[in-house]
Protein backbone atom coordinates (compact mmCIF):
# COMPACT_ATOMS: atom_id res chain seq x y z
CA UNK A 1 0.00 0.00 0.00
CA UNK A 2 0.90 3.65 -0.16
CA UNK A 3 1.35 6.24 2.57
CA UNK A 4 1.42 9.24 0.26
CA UNK A 5 2.92 12.67 0.83
CA UNK A 6 1.27 15.41 2.86
CA UNK A 7 -0.04 17.43 -0.10
CA UNK A 8 -1.27 14.46 -2.10
CA UNK A 9 -4.54 14.46 -0.17
CA UNK A 10 -5.59 17.65 -1.94
CA UNK A 11 -3.68 17.36 -5.22
CA UNK A 12 -5.08 14.62 -7.46
CA UNK A 13 -2.18 14.61 -9.92
CA UNK A 14 0.38 14.32 -7.13
CA UNK A 15 -1.43 11.38 -5.50
CA UNK A 16 -1.83 9.63 -8.83
CA UNK A 17 1.85 10.11 -9.74
CA UNK A 18 3.04 8.86 -6.33
CA UNK A 19 0.82 5.79 -6.62
CA UNK A 20 2.01 5.10 -10.16
CA UNK A 21 5.65 5.46 -9.10
CA UNK A 22 5.12 2.91 -6.33
CA UNK A 23 3.39 0.56 -8.79
CA UNK A 24 6.28 0.81 -11.24
CA UNK A 25 8.99 0.35 -8.63
CA UNK A 26 7.31 -2.52 -6.84
CA UNK A 27 5.90 -4.12 -9.98
CA UNK A 28 2.70 -4.74 -8.01
CA UNK A 29 -0.79 -3.36 -7.73
CA UNK A 30 -1.28 -0.73 -5.02
CA UNK A 31 -4.74 -1.37 -3.56
CA UNK A 32 -4.19 0.11 -0.06
CA UNK A 33 -3.71 3.66 1.20
CA UNK A 34 -3.53 5.66 4.43
CA UNK A 35 -3.23 9.40 4.04
CA UNK A 36 -0.33 11.17 5.69
CA UNK A 37 -1.38 12.91 8.93
CA UNK A 38 -4.81 11.31 8.40
CA UNK A 39 -5.69 14.08 5.96
CA UNK A 40 -9.12 13.30 4.59
CA UNK A 41 -11.60 15.50 2.78
CA UNK A 42 -14.95 13.79 2.28
CA UNK A 43 -15.54 15.86 -0.86
CA UNK A 44 -12.28 15.11 -2.67
CA UNK A 45 -10.27 12.29 -1.06
CA UNK A 46 -12.50 9.37 -2.13
CA UNK A 47 -12.37 10.48 -5.77
CA UNK A 48 -8.57 10.88 -5.69
CA UNK A 49 -8.16 7.41 -4.25
CA UNK A 50 -10.64 5.73 -6.58
CA UNK A 51 -9.15 7.41 -9.66
CA UNK A 52 -5.71 6.11 -8.67
CA UNK A 53 -7.00 2.54 -8.34
CA UNK A 54 -7.04 2.37 -4.55
CA UNK A 55 -9.54 -0.19 -3.26
CA UNK A 56 -9.05 0.09 0.52
CA UNK A 57 -8.34 3.18 2.62
CA UNK A 58 -7.11 3.07 6.23
CA UNK A 59 -7.21 6.81 7.00
CA UNK A 60 -10.38 6.79 9.10
CA UNK A 61 -9.23 7.07 12.70
CA UNK A 62 -8.15 9.54 15.36
CA UNK A 63 -4.60 10.82 15.63
CA UNK A 64 -4.83 11.87 19.27
CA UNK A 65 -7.23 9.40 20.87
CA UNK A 66 -8.55 5.87 20.61
CA UNK A 67 -11.98 5.08 19.22
CA UNK A 68 -13.77 5.06 15.91
CA UNK A 69 -13.85 8.29 13.93
CA UNK A 70 -16.45 6.73 11.63
CA UNK A 71 -18.53 5.45 14.56
CA UNK A 72 -18.02 1.82 13.54
CA UNK A 73 -15.35 -0.85 13.62
CA UNK A 74 -16.70 -2.45 10.45
CA UNK A 75 -15.32 -1.67 6.99
CA UNK A 76 -17.74 0.08 4.67
CA UNK A 77 -17.89 1.32 1.11
CA UNK A 78 -17.76 5.06 0.60
CA UNK A 79 -21.10 6.47 -0.48
CA UNK A 80 -21.11 9.44 -2.86
CA UNK A 81 -24.10 11.49 -1.72
CA UNK A 82 -23.72 13.98 -4.55
CA UNK A 83 -24.26 11.26 -7.16
CA UNK A 84 -26.29 8.95 -4.90
CA UNK A 85 -24.02 5.97 -5.58
CA UNK A 86 -21.88 3.54 -3.65
CA UNK A 87 -18.23 3.80 -4.69
CA UNK A 88 -15.73 0.92 -4.98
CA UNK A 89 -13.55 2.42 -2.23
CA UNK A 90 -13.74 0.50 1.04
CA UNK A 91 -12.99 2.45 4.21
CA UNK A 92 -11.34 0.32 6.90
CA UNK A 93 -11.56 2.21 10.22
CA UNK A 94 -8.79 1.86 12.77
CA UNK A 95 -9.26 1.99 16.54
CA UNK A 96 -5.81 2.82 17.85
CA UNK A 97 -2.73 4.63 16.58
CA UNK A 98 0.53 4.45 18.52
CA UNK A 99 1.11 8.21 18.23
CA UNK A 100 -2.09 8.96 20.13
CA UNK A 101 -0.32 7.68 23.22
CA UNK A 102 3.28 8.80 22.86
CA UNK A 103 2.79 12.06 20.93
CA UNK A 104 -0.57 13.48 21.99
CA UNK A 105 -1.14 12.00 25.45
CA UNK A 106 2.45 11.27 26.59
CA UNK A 107 1.38 7.85 27.90
CA UNK A 108 3.94 5.09 28.45
CA UNK A 109 3.51 1.69 26.75
CA UNK A 110 2.63 -0.15 29.97
CA UNK A 111 -0.17 2.35 30.64
CA UNK A 112 -1.45 2.26 27.05
CA UNK A 113 -1.66 -1.54 27.02
CA UNK A 114 -4.78 -1.70 29.21
CA UNK A 115 -6.63 0.90 27.10
CA UNK A 116 -5.76 -0.93 23.89
CA UNK A 117 -6.77 -4.33 25.26
CA UNK A 118 -10.03 -2.89 26.62
CA UNK A 119 -10.85 -1.44 23.19
CA UNK A 120 -9.98 -4.72 21.50
CA UNK A 121 -12.32 -6.57 23.87
CA UNK A 122 -15.20 -4.19 23.12
CA UNK A 123 -14.67 -4.68 19.39
CA UNK A 124 -14.53 -8.45 19.85
CA UNK A 125 -17.89 -8.37 21.68
CA UNK A 126 -19.61 -6.92 18.59
CA UNK A 127 -17.67 -9.08 16.09
CA UNK A 128 -15.98 -5.98 14.71
CA UNK A 129 -12.60 -5.57 13.07
CA UNK A 130 -9.86 -4.32 15.39
CA UNK A 131 -7.26 -2.43 13.36
CA UNK A 132 -4.26 -0.63 14.83
CA UNK A 133 -1.70 1.70 13.29
CA UNK A 134 1.87 1.33 14.50
CA UNK A 135 4.53 3.36 12.71
CA UNK A 136 7.88 1.85 11.76
CA UNK A 137 9.67 4.33 14.04
CA UNK A 138 7.82 2.78 16.97
CA UNK A 139 9.79 -0.44 16.62
CA UNK A 140 13.15 1.15 17.26
CA UNK A 141 14.48 1.39 20.81
CA UNK A 142 16.04 4.87 20.72
CA UNK A 143 13.03 7.18 20.47
CA UNK A 144 10.11 5.07 21.68
CA UNK A 145 11.41 2.46 24.12
CA UNK A 146 8.91 -0.18 25.14
CA UNK A 147 6.55 0.23 22.20
CA UNK A 148 7.97 -2.65 20.16
CA UNK A 149 7.53 -5.09 23.04
CA UNK A 150 4.02 -3.73 23.63
CA UNK A 151 3.19 -4.45 19.99
CA UNK A 152 4.43 -8.03 20.34
CA UNK A 153 2.39 -8.54 23.54
CA UNK A 154 -0.70 -7.11 21.86
CA UNK A 155 -0.30 -9.51 18.93
CA UNK A 156 -0.15 -12.42 21.35
CA UNK A 157 -3.06 -11.28 23.53
CA UNK A 158 -5.41 -9.98 20.85
CA UNK A 159 -4.67 -12.95 18.60
CA UNK A 160 -6.09 -15.11 21.40
CA UNK A 161 -9.48 -13.41 20.83
CA UNK A 162 -9.91 -15.16 17.49
Amino acid sequence: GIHPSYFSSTETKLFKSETELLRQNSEQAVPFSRQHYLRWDVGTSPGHLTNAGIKYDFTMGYAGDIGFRAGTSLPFYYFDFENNTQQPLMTVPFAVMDGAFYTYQQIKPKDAEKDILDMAEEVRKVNGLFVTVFHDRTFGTNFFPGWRSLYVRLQEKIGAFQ
Side-chain angles (χ1 to χ4, degrees):
I2 189 166
H3 187 46
S5 68
Y6 183 82
F7 291 107
S8 71
S9 66
T10 56
E11 298 178 23
T12 305
K13 287 180 183 178
L14 180 59
F15 182 80
K16 203 164 189 174
S17 71
E18 289 176 3
T19 305
E20 186 54 37
L21 184 62
L22 179 58
R23 262 191 208 104
Q24 290 172 1
N25 287 326
S26 67
E27 298 178 351
Q28 295 181 39
V30 181
F32 307 104
S33 176
R34 182 172 57 80
Q35 290 298 115
H36 209 68
Y37 289 98
L38 306 180
R39 290 179 52 133
W40 179 264
D41 181 294
V42 73
T44 59
S45 297
H48 295 180
L49 295 161
T50 302
N51 290 336
I54 300 298
K55 304 289 184 206
Y56 306 93
D57 181 70
F58 291 80
T59 304
M60 190 60 67
Y62 293 118
D65 208 348
I66 64 173
F68 292 98
R69 185 172 156 196
T72 182
S73 66
L74 299 174
F76 58 91
Y77 284 100
Y78 171 73
F79 190 83
D80 181 348
F81 288 98
E82 189 173 306
N83 296 305
N84 198 34
T85 57
Q86 178 179 295
Q87 298 299 303
L89 177 65
M90 181 174 280
T91 298
V92 182
F94 69 84
V96 175
M97 184 165 68
D98 56 3
F101 296 105
Y102 60 69
T103 299
Y104 292 94
Q105 298 177 23
Q106 286 83 47
I107 294 176
K108 302 266 187 241
K110 63 183 174 90
D111 299 322
E113 185 170 358
K114 181 183 180 333
D115 291 341
I116 296 169
L117 290 172
D118 287 349
M119 176 62 78
E121 174 61 20
E122 291 302 312
V123 172
R124 186 197 61 77
K125 287 179 185 176
V126 298
N127 294 317
L129 180 64
F130 185 71
V131 176
T132 63
V133 173
F134 276 73
H135 295 83
D136 56 348
R137 65 180 174 260
T138 304
F139 298 110
T141 55
N142 294 338
F143 298 113
F144 303 103
W147 286 94
R148 182 184 188 286
S149 57
L150 169 61
Y151 181 81
V152 170
R153 284 194 311 278
L154 292 172
Q155 293 300 310
E156 292 167 356
K157 291 178 180 180
I158 294 171
F161 288 174
Q162 298 175 3

